[in-house]
């Protein structure tokens, strides 16, 4: 029997870009226990947080630094692949670019054996993850954990605008938002930068899980094999501090170790191509020939021109503008990505000519496929990695085309007075043969490795469209390795989207909701209607507390208890701005919560709101719009008092609805916005909710009390979520660069 302390509902292997998302989302349900194993450490160096320092992180203490096998397409060169060796994984090393890719990328997934992964199907998960500062269209995400800035509004390098102007001169369209429905053209990147610092997935996602009692993080824990009982994965064996340990999962093991380590761990556990497993005397648990196959990556090269005007030092991540285009008009989306970088692509040239700029032509849709294979049966040995860079003739020819396009951009009038001599590859490299030779000599990884545990329904698929491993129950892979074909852009956005969707797939399979009794379903309706996943646990806790206190004749105490428990740790409330209120109103409206809240009134240490609300899912219960007032007294970074009140007319309507529900009568649900407006104009001063515990015919009604509790959830749950979100930024800033 396993040690009770080593048993969890879910075990996540890896807390990188995908694993951090899983940790946050699965722990939102307080009834499940989650363990996350991280092979790296928890200390995030200050150099990680400085956006312009990303090139210095490669081959450093926070990089696993995987060498490839010699690459035939690169004249036998070995390429070093950086992968993050700490919580947050490679979100600590990447260039902070957040680009979703073209809609056809995801439609292609769906058409090729991944139903449920079309662009329209995954769009909600992109939006759920994002908090885009300049969000305009309905495709953009607002209020999510990932903060996205547009460098256009943050004192960008002037050469970045010159690059955009040059591309427009060549006939390429200017695209306002490259994450929108059309990314073919030139525009500003979106960057994972918050308050001037890199926002890793450890900050955006993992910290939220670490604040929950149902989550355990085990750092410096190297997974050595999966524990398989018959055809079911029941746990993980891992090494920590020189000792071998085991942890058991009663529901699932979620493998999120990345496109290099995930296939390695599967093979070490007997899941993979039988012949390759037998090479190392490994037992065959599941014959899965696709494990380690289909491995691929974007590939790029660079052109360097000496600038004739001073290039300002970097304020952000060196690359702020980019062009997406087609090598052939018949492509459904872009297959070339040309990023502008206001430093030298080549270190040696950069030292000799520091005032230089570069364009990096890259293949957005490579044809070549490689593999990941075991080097030995030793779990601490790095696997053999073969991305097969430029292993297909079409990849070489299209990269040559990208080089020629970069030269055309530098030759435009827009760049005429800003650049001089071409330093790389140089004027002597001009013929097709010479350019081919150049790209083979100077092509590099774009760090977007995917595909080694591909999702699908074909014979090489390792996981099904729900990310469950074929042939083994209780095991999923949730990371870049399941991506069947790399999106035509930087991959971090796609990995986060994938993990967001995977978390919902897991929750659905295990029915991780508020409950399935009528009361539980009612709670679920309310929380689903108004509270995004960040606040579900808190809203449910409030409902349960108020129900219990109502039975104990003490609603006021329950409200005070909730306020202390849920939001007392928020460091400040200076972000309660009119725009913040409008943002909250829009976000709740997206969840079927409607109403009008005016900007808060601040009087010393007291903050007050007024307005009216109505909830779509509660119309069937006859709960009408309520005019109300919310009052909060803050000080020393904590809530000292928190009350809310409804107008007498609104409370009368609510009590009538509750009385009908108590008597078994259905509400008529006829709630209109006009009624809400009239309710909001009710001149009768609000009365405290603690004075309105429903009593009918001289007796306390349990059902009506529960409905009152649900109304309380609607108000405080939504407000609590908003306050948590506003306070999260401050908490993150205080904790960045510290040991988690």
């Amino acid at each position: 029997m396993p040690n009770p302390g080593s048993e969890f509902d879910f075990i996540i292997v890896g807390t990188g870009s995908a694993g951090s998302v899983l940790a946050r989302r699965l722990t939102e349900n307080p009834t499940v226990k989650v363990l996350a194993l991280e092979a790296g450490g928890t200390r995030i160096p200050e150099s990680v947080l400085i956006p312009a320092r990303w090139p210095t992180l490669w081959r450093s203490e926070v990089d696993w630094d995987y060498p490839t096998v010699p690459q035939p397409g690169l004249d036998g060169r070995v390429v070093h692949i950086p992968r993050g060796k700490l919580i947050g994984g490679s979100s600590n090393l990447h260039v902070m670019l957040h680009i979703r890719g073209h809609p056809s990328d995801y439609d292609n997934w769906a058409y090729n054996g991944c139903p449920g992964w079309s662009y329209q199907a995954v769009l909600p998960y992109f939006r759920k993850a994002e908090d885009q500062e300049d969000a305009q269209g309905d495709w953009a995400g607002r209020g999510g954990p990932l903060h996205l800035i547009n460098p256009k509004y943050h004192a960008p390098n002037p050469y970045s605008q010159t690059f955009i102007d040059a591309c427009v001169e060549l006939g390429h369209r200017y695209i306002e938002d490259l994450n929108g429905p059309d990314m073919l053209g030139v525009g500003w990147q979106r960057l994972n930068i918050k308050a001037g610092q890199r926002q890793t997935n450890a900050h955006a996602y993992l910290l939220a899980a670490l604040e929950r009692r149902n989550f355990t993080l085990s750092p410096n824990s190297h997974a050595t094999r999966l524990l398989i009982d018959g055809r079911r994965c029941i746990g993980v064996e891992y090494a920590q501090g020189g000792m071998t340990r085991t942890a058991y999962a009663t529901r699932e093991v979620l493998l999120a170790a990345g496109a290099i380590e995930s296939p390695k761990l599967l093979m070490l556990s007997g899941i993979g191509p039988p012949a390759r497993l037998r090479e190392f005397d490994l037992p065959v648990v599941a014959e899965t020939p696709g494990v380690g196959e289909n491995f691929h990556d974007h590939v790029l090269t660079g052109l360097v021109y000496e600038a004739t005007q001073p290039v300002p030092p970097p304020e952000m991540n060196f690359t702020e503008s980019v062009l997406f285009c087609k090598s052939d008009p018949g492509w459904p989306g872009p297959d070339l990505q040309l990023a502008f970088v206001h430093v030298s692509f080549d270190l040696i040239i950069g030292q000799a000519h520091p005032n230089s700029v570069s364009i990096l032509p890259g293949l957005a849709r490579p044809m070549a496929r490689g593999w990941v294979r075991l080097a030995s049966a030793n779990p601490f040995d790095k696997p053999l990695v073969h991305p097969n860079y430029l292993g297909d003739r079409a990849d070489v020819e299209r990269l040559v085309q990208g080089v020629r396009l970069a030269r055309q951009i530098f030759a435009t009038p827009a760049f005429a007075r800003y650049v001089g001599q071409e330093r790389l590859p140089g004027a002597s490299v001009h013929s097709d043969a010479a350019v081919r030779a150049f790209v083979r000599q100077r092509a590099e990884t774009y760090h977007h490795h995917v595909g080694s545990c591909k999702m699908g329904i074909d014979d090489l698929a390792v996981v099904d469209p729900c990310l469950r491993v074929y042939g083994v129950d209780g095991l999923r892979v949730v990371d870049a390795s399941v991506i069947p074909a790399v999106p035509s852009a930087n991959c971090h956005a796609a990995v986060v989207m994938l993990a967001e969707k995977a978390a919902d797939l897991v929750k659905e399979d295990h029915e991780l909701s508020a409950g399935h009794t009528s009361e539980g379903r009612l709670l679920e309706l309310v929380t689903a209607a108004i509270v995004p996943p960040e606040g579900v646990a808190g809203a449910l806790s409030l409902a349960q507390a108020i129900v219990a206190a109502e039975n104990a004749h003490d609603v006021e105490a329950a409200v005070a208890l909730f306020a202390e428990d849920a939001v007392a740790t928020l460091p400040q409330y200076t972000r309660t701005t009119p725009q913040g209120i409008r943002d909250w109103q829009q976000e709740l409206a997206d969840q079927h919560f409607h109403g009008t809240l005016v900007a808060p009134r601040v009087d010393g240490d007291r903050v007050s709101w007024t307005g009216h609300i109505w909830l779509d899912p509660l119309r069937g219960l006859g709960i009408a719009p309520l005019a109300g007032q919310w009052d909060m007294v803050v000080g020393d970074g904590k809530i000292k008092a928190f009350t809310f009140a409804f107008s007498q007319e609104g409370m009368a309507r609510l009590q009538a609805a509750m009385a009908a529900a108590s008597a078994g009568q259905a509400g008529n649900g006829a709630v209109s916005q006009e009624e809400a407006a009239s309710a909001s104009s009710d001149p009768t001063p609000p009365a405290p909710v603690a004075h309105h515990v429903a009593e009918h015919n001289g007796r306390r009604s349990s059902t009506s009390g529960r409905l009152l509790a649900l109304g309380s959830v609607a108000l405080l749950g939504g407000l609590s979520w908003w306050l948590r979100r506003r306070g999260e930024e401050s908490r993150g800033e205080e904790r960045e660069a510290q040991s988690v």
Side-chain angles (χ1 to χ4, degrees), residues 333-676:
D335 66 323
L336 292 176
Q337 175 180 359
L338 284 80
F340 179 75
V341 181
H342 44 273
V343 292
S344 173
F345 169 73
D346 182 272
L347 179 61
I348 296 176
I349 292 176
Q351 291 173 342
H353 305 278
N355 198 55
S356 299
V357 294
S358 307
I359 293 177
L360 311 185
L363 280 178
R365 297 194 182 200
M367 297 296 181
R369 296 294 186 267
W371 42 255
V372 175
R373 294 176 183 168
L374 292 177
S376 73
N378 185 340
F380 301 103
D381 287 346
K382 291 179 179 178
L384 303 176
V385 179
H386 177 42
N388 198 20
Y389 292 125
L390 299 185
D392 190 287
R393 177 182 54 82
D395 291 353
V396 178
E397 296 305 318
R398 288 181 295 148
L399 194 54
V400 167
Q401 189 172 340
V403 170
R404 296 202 180 282
L405 176 56
R407 281 175 161 168
Q408 292 174 21
I409 295 171
F410 274 132
T412 58
F415 265 118
R417 67 188 184 94
Y418 291 107
V419 296
Q421 185 175 353
E422 179 182 288
R423 294 294 179 180
L424 186 74
S428 62
V429 179
H430 186 72
S431 69
D432 287 346
V435 177
R436 288 191 196 100
F438 165 72
V439 298
R440 291 189 185 278
Q441 294 164 4
R442 300 307 304 265
E444 288 287 344
T445 170
Y446 223 143
H447 319 125
H448 305 154
H449 306 89
V450 304
S452 50
C453 299
K454 75 182 290 281
M455 167 175 49
I457 57 176
D458 58 284
D459 290 343
L460 283 182
V462 177
V463 300
D464 68 13
C466 291
L467 309 184
R468 297 170 295 209
V469 175
Y470 285 113
V472 182
D473 295 331
L475 177 63
R476 293 185 209 234
V477 182
V478 183
D479 57 32
S481 69
V482 306
I483 293 176
V486 66
S488 53
N490 304 68
C491 289
H492 185 252
V495 171
V496 173
M497 171 278 293
L498 184 147
E500 289 276 17
K501 180 174 171 67
D504 273 4
L505 292 172
V506 172
K507 290 178 179 180
E508 181 179 348
D509 279 0
H510 294 276
E511 298 182 339
L512 297 179
S513 61
H516 295 282
T517 62
S518 58
E519 180 181 323
R521 179 57 181 158
L522 200 55
L523 286 169
E524 185 179 356
L525 279 174
V526 176
T527 56
I530 67 162
V531 187
E534 290 84 350
V536 169
L540 290 176
S541 297
L542 170 64
Q544 293 159 0
I546 291 185
V547 168
E550 185 266 335
N551 291 333
H553 302 264
D554 196 356
V555 171
E556 190 171 26
V559 173
L561 177 64
F562 170 78
E564 178 182 357
D565 177 67
V567 288
T569 58
L570 290 180
Q572 59 178 313
Y573 297 97
T574 57
R575 291 177 175 79
T576 52
T577 62
Q579 183 59 50
I581 291 290
R582 287 192 292 271
D583 289 346
W584 179 46
Q585 177 185 343
Q586 178 59 49
E587 289 152 4
L588 295 184
D590 291 342
Q591 303 291 331
H592 310 293
F593 173 102
H594 303 282
T596 299
L597 294 173
V598 301
R601 299 186 304 277
V602 180
D603 182 11
D605 59 356
R606 181 179 179 183
V607 183
S608 301
W609 294 262
T610 60
H612 62 273
I613 62 169
W614 65 95
L615 303 167
D616 288 350
L618 299 185
R619 291 185 182 183
L621 301 174
I623 297 181
L626 305 173
Q629 178 172 321
W630 296 259
D631 287 285
M632 181 169 63
V633 178
V634 300
D636 301 324
K638 296 184 177 181
I639 291 180
K640 294 183 175 180
F642 188 101
T643 60
F644 63 91
F646 297 136
S647 67
Q648 290 184 1
E649 177 183 345
M651 277 306 303
R653 300 172 72 179
L654 175 61
Q655 289 176 330
M658 292 191 297
S662 180
Q665 302 172 11
N668 59 24
V671 180
S672 66
Q673 296 189 18
E674 289 74 16
E675 290 177 304

Side-chain angles (χ1 to χ4, degrees), residues 26 68 106 184 290 309 389 461 515:
L26 293 181
T68 68
Y106 304 100
L184 274 167
Q309 305 290 330
Y389 292 125

Side-chain angles (χ1 to χ4, degrees), residues 63 69 138 157 173 269 271 297-298 365 370 375 394 416 451-452 464 476 482 488 600 615 663 708 710 718:
D63 178 12
V69 300
D138 57 6
N157 191 292
R173 293 180 303 151
S269 307
I271 304 168
D297 178 19
H298 292 144
R365 297 194 182 200
S452 50
D464 68 13
R476 293 185 209 234
V482 306
S488 53
L615 303 167
L708 180 57
L710 293 172

